[in-house]
Amino acid sequence: MHLLLIAGFLGTGKTTFSIQVATECIRQGRKVAMLVNEIGEIGIDGQLMRELDLDVWEMSNGCICCTLAADLVPTLEKLDQEYAVDLILMEPSGAADPESILRTLVYYKGRPLESIYTVTLLDPLRLPELYEVVTPLIVTQIANANVLFANKADLATAEQLEDVQRIATEVNPDAKLLLVSARQGIDSDLLKEILPWKD
Ligand SMILES: Nc1nc2c(ncn2[C@@H]2O[C@H](COP(=O)(O)OP(=O)(O)OP(=O)(O)O)[C@@H](O)[C@H]2O)c(=O)[nH]1
Ligand SMILES: [Mg+2]
C-alpha cells in the first residue's frame, strides 16, 4: 500500500488533480482509495466526479471516499486490513500542514506503507500573494513536497509562472517543479513522475 499526499492551499486544484491520478491508476488496474478531509467536500467532489464521468470507476473499483480529520491512522489501518488497496490518495484540507499529517503516521500499525510521497499543488494566480500573507503555511507546504506542480497552466501568464519558479526555488530547490492543468487533463508521462510503480 502506497500513500500519496496531495497538499496545497484551498482551491489550488487538489481534488481535480487527485481524480486525474486516480483515473490513470485505475486505468492501469490498480485499486485506489481517496481520502478527503471534509464532509462538505464530498458533495462538490461528487459533482466533479460526475462531470468527469467517474461514476463507473466508483462502482467497479470500489472507491472508498472517507472523511478523516483526527482519525487518519484508524482509517489507514482499516484500508490496510479490509481492502486490498494499492494506492491511497489523500487530500488534506488546504489549510493543513503536510508535516503534521506525516508525523501522525508513526502511530500507524498496519502493514508498512511501501512509500509515502508528498505532492504540493501551487496556484500561479495566487501564489505570490499567499506567500506574503500566509507565509508559514505556504512554506511548509512547499518545503515538504517531493514534487511541486504549478497547476492551472491554462490560466497562468508567463510572468506568474516565473514567480512560482522563483518561490519554489527559494523554499525547496530540491523538488522538481512541473507545470500542469489538472482541469484539462494530465499527461500520463507526467503522472509517472509521482506514481509509485514505474510500469
Ligand atoms: N482553469 C483551471 N481550473 C482549475 C484547474 N484545476 C482546478 N481548477 C478549478 O479550480 C477550482 C478548485 O479546484 P479543486 O480541485 O476543487 O481544488 P481543491 O484544492 O481541491 O479545493 P479545496 O478542497 O476547496 O481546497 C475548481 O473550480 C476547479 O475546476 C486547472 O488546471 N485549470
Ligand atoms: Mg478539494
Side-chain angles (χ1 to χ4, degrees):
M1 193 162 80
H2 298 268
L3 177 65
L4 187 62
L5 193 64
I6 315 266
F9 194 73
L10 297 161
T12 46
K14 297 178 293 298
T15 302
T16 312
F17 186 92
S18 299
I19 290 169
Q20 295 284 344
V21 177
T23 307
E24 173 63 16
C25 292
I26 288 157
R27 195 190 60 73
Q28 295 177 4
R30 316 281 178 177
K31 188 156 181 182
V32 182
M34 286 178 73
L35 305 188
V36 296
N37 207 49
E38 290 146 27
I39 293 171
E41 210 169 328
I42 292 174
I44 302 162
D45 297 347
Q47 175 62 32
L48 197 57
M49 282 179 182
R50 275 192 295 282
E51 277 171 29
L52 291 166
D53 202 16
L54 281 174
D55 283 347
V56 175
W57 161 68
E58 264 191 281
M59 290 190 294
S60 62
N61 290 281
C63 159
I64 305 140
C65 287
C66 309
T67 58
L68 80 164
D71 59 352
L72 170 62
V73 167
T75 305
L76 287 180
E77 286 170 357
K78 191 171 170 170
L79 285 170
D80 173 50
Q81 284 154 20
E82 294 177 27
Y83 306 86
V85 171
D86 298 306
L87 175 69
I88 298 179
L89 282 170
M90 190 186 153
E91 179 189 339
S93 138
D97 163 10
E99 208 178 330
S100 65
I101 295 163
L102 295 171
R103 266 201 305 269
T104 65
L105 293 176
V106 298
Y107 301 106
Y108 166 75
K109 300 288 182 247
R111 279 175 303 155
L113 292 164
E114 291 164 80
S115 72
I116 302 169
Y117 213 64
T118 304
V119 168
T120 296
L121 300 197
L122 304 168
D123 182 345
L125 283 68
R126 294 186 301 156
L127 185 67
E129 192 189 342
L130 293 171
Y131 186 49
E132 289 261 315
V133 179
V134 282
T135 314
L137 177 62
I138 299 300
V139 166
T140 190
Q141 290 184 342
I142 295 177
N144 282 287
N146 298 106
V147 177
L148 296 165
F149 283 92
N151 190 31
K152 308 193 184 178
D154 55 308
L155 300 178
T157 65
E159 198 183 358
Q160 286 168 333
L161 293 173
E162 277 171 26
D163 283 339
V164 174
Q165 178 76 65
R166 176 180 54 78
I167 294 167
T169 309
E170 207 167 288
V171 180
N172 189 348
D174 297 331
K176 205 184 251 190
L177 174 66
L178 303 169
L179 184 63
V180 288
S181 170
R183 190 189 264 179
Q184 292 183 334
I186 306 171
D187 189 80
S188 60
D189 281 341
L190 212 55
L191 286 178
K192 282 191 189 136
E193 296 277 349
I194 58 164
L195 293 183
W197 36 78
K198 299 300 168 201
D199 50 314

